[in-house]
Amino acid sequence: MPLVDMKDMLHHAYRNRYAVGAFDLVSLDFLEAILRSCEGTDAPVILSLAESHFEHFDFDLMMAATERAARRAEIPVAIHLDHGTSFESAVRAINRGCNGVMVDASHLSFADNVALTRRVTEMAHTCGITVEGELGYVAGVEGEDAEKHPGEVVYTSVQEARSYVEQTGVDCLAVSIGTVHGRMRGRPELDFDRLAQIDASLGIPLVIHGGTGLSEEQYRRLIENGVTKINYYTALSDAAAGAIRAVAARDSGAGYTGLLADARNAIQVEVERMSHLFGSAGQAQGVLASARPWRPVAHLILYDADGLDEAGVEAMMAQGREVLSAIPGVRRVAAGRAVKADVPYHWCWVIEFASEKVIDSYRDHPDHVAFADGLFRPIARERLSIDYELRERCEKRKASPGEGRS
Ligand SMILES: [Zn+2]
């Protein structure tokens, strides 16, 4: 059960004045290190996958591993799309297993930012998904994550923030108050007055991007003023790279696994340090007690086909797999044929929804209605359809040799 509703997780943090770390992962080393660290400190966590990093890994494969890892974790976890660039990327992320999405239209005009964000929010909320918007612009300064965010910092205005949240319906808002993506240069000046006014005006969880390199005091004041999610990547990347360079410097003959041997531990130590600074350490049980579990639903249909031969049924089902799997909130569409002949129904659909909410939005979705009314129901007059909430047993992670070295 440790996948939980992201909005519930953020509200626990908002009420109890701490921030959840949203750590971007770019490899399995990051995934394992982040979860291991948060299990060690009993911290809730957001596993974050940034669209700008998709060139470094196969998103579908990484999502499968991320979801599996989240489900067997002993701490509450949410899975988030970071800096999604379009409506389509938000749908894809939801259908692959994210239960939070960020749509980043902060480089567009206010009106265009509102229009795109609102469209994503309307779709996502029909699936129970939490949405983060961004207003103002967090530019990059230095380091590998900085180059993805060109241009100058634009501060978030209090008035615009209020109007933006009202018009888009986002659940949490990334604000620009002086942090930058990538590495900080010098000591950053953060506009806490502005942040306090935004918090007072909105009363929703706020998000900081560019969390690397702030002082303990700065993190404390961010959290005091409504920040409940801090995106953190650059320092993890630097810690891993530093560990790799250290091995390379002392052992010129090191191979692939040798070079990477200390990277996971370096990431784990940095995540642990941040969980203490963010105040999320020790909050896992509180979140588990108050957040709704995030569970998929299986939509099962058993049917008999009349008036269609086997090839006709196969063709209809192939089309269904194509059309239905593109509907927001649909995780999987499988169509099957009974193994034995002497059964009451000879064909089935097994459709998996991201959450219970999708039962209604799927039923009413125009693509589903068109397929069901046009192709499916006319040939499947005898049918049975039931939705089931799914639970499964996930084997706990086994400690590996060398774990806990630090
Ligand atoms: Zn960011």
Side-chain angles (χ1 to χ4, degrees):
M1 109 132 201
L3 259 180
V4 301
D5 186 284
M6 182 168 141
K7 195 168 146 183
D8 292 351
M9 178 193 276
L10 291 178
H11 277 275
H12 183 269
Y14 192 71
R15 282 196 307 277
N16 294 283
R17 292 288 161 178
Y18 68 92
V20 180
F23 301 104
D24 279 333
L25 50 98
V26 293
S27 74
L28 290 183
D29 283 327
F30 278 71
L31 175 62
E32 290 180 41
I34 293 163
L35 284 175
R36 217 175 259 191
S37 175
C38 292
E39 285 182 340
T41 55
D42 208 30
V45 70
I46 296 172
L47 298 172
S48 188
L49 293 95
E51 191 163 344
S52 60
H53 290 154
F54 288 5
E55 66 197 79
H56 305 307
F57 54 81
D58 181 318
F59 178 63
D60 289 4
L61 296 185
M62 191 64 89
M63 275 305 300
T66 302
E67 186 179 17
R68 191 73 196 166
R71 289 206 182 279
R72 71 176 191 181
E74 286 162 15
I75 44 152
V77 179
I79 306 175
H80 189 63
L81 171 70
D82 189 20
H83 289 286
T85 56
S86 65
F87 181 85
E88 290 71 27
S89 28
V91 173
R92 179 178 174 220
I94 292 167
N95 290 8
R96 293 299 177 277
C98 288
N99 65 346
V101 293
M102 177 200 189
V103 53
D104 181 2
S106 62
H107 53 289
L108 303 178
S109 70
F110 181 80
D112 289 345
N113 185 352
V114 165
L116 174 58
T117 307
R118 182 185 186 148
R119 196 170 157 235
V120 169
T121 307
E122 281 170 358
M123 173 278 294
H125 281 178
T126 68
C127 304
I129 305 285
T130 302
V131 180
E132 172 184 342
E134 178 169 334
L135 187 65
Y137 183 71
V138 179
V141 168
E142 189 182 302
E144 71 176 63
D145 218 32
E147 63 213 32
K148 311 282 188 188
H149 306 274
E152 296 293 313
V153 174
V154 179
Y155 285 73
T156 305
S157 110
V158 181
Q159 239 121 48
E160 279 195 343
R162 195 182 173 110
S163 153
Y164 177 86
V165 169
E166 277 167 10
Q167 291 183 61
T168 59
V170 292
D171 303 291
C172 55
L173 181 68
V175 293
S176 174
I177 56 150
T179 58
V180 294
H181 282 113
R183 299 188 197 109
M184 295 286 179
R185 238 189 247 139
R187 191 184 141 82
E189 290 294 324
L190 304 187
D191 191 341
F192 288 110
D193 288 340
R194 184 185 294 266
L195 181 65
Q197 287 171 38
I198 294 172
D199 183 35
S201 166
L202 302 185
I204 64 169
L206 301 177
V207 181
I208 287 293
H209 285 232
T212 291
L214 303 178
S215 69
E216 187 171 347
E217 165 74 2
Q218 285 175 317
Y219 288 120
R220 191 182 58 73
R221 291 185 69 188
L222 287 174
I223 292 163
E224 261 173 26
N225 289 293
V227 169
T228 53
K229 171 175 178 279
I230 298 178
N231 284 28
Y232 201 82
Y233 168 70
T234 304
L236 303 187
S237 163
D238 286 350
I244 293 167
R245 271 193 290 271
V247 175
R250 67 172 185 260
D251 178 5
S252 61
Y256 178 79
T257 54
L259 282 170
L260 288 176
D262 294 340
R264 202 159 54 188
N265 198 49
I267 298 166
Q268 187 174 337
V269 168
E270 181 64 8
V271 170
E272 194 177 304
R273 189 174 77 87
M274 298 324 293
S275 299
H276 287 292
L277 282 181
F278 295 168
S280 57
Q283 298 286 354
Q285 299 315 312
V287 173
L288 284 174
S290 67
R292 286 165 291 177
W294 184 257
R295 291 199 182 105
V297 162
H299 176 62
L300 302 185
I301 302 172
L302 312 181
Y303 69 98
D304 258 333
D306 1 282
L308 263 192
D309 59 13
E310 214 168 294
V313 176
E314 296 284 4
M316 181 274 297
M317 294 199 303
Q319 193 173 345
R321 284 196 296 268
E322 173 111 15
V323 173
L324 303 176
S325 62
I327 294 173
V330 174
R331 300 289 316 276
R332 192 167 82 97
V333 179
R337 178 200 157 145
V339 175
K340 293 191 171 153
D342 57 342
V343 291
Y345 298 98
H346 293 87
W347 302 95
C348 81
W349 294 102
V350 180
I351 301 174
E352 193 178 315
F353 296 149
S355 73
E356 193 182 326
K357 274 214 148 185
V358 181
I359 294 171
D360 293 338
S361 58
Y362 171 83
R363 185 195 55 222
D364 300 337
H365 193 281
D367 292 346
H368 169 253
V369 172
F371 175 77
D373 289 351
L375 292 175
F376 178 60
R377 287 177 188 141
I379 62 107
R381 276 183 288 272
E382 285 297 317
R383 63 176 190 272
L384 194 64
S385 168
I386 305 177
D387 297 300
Y388 295 91
E389 187 190 79
L390 298 179
R391 300 178 193 211
E392 68 179 302
R393 178 171 178 276
C394 285
E395 191 89 34
K396 293 292 172 217
R397 178 175 64 83
K398 291 198 177 57
S400 58
E403 191 174 335
R405 280 181 298 161
S406 68

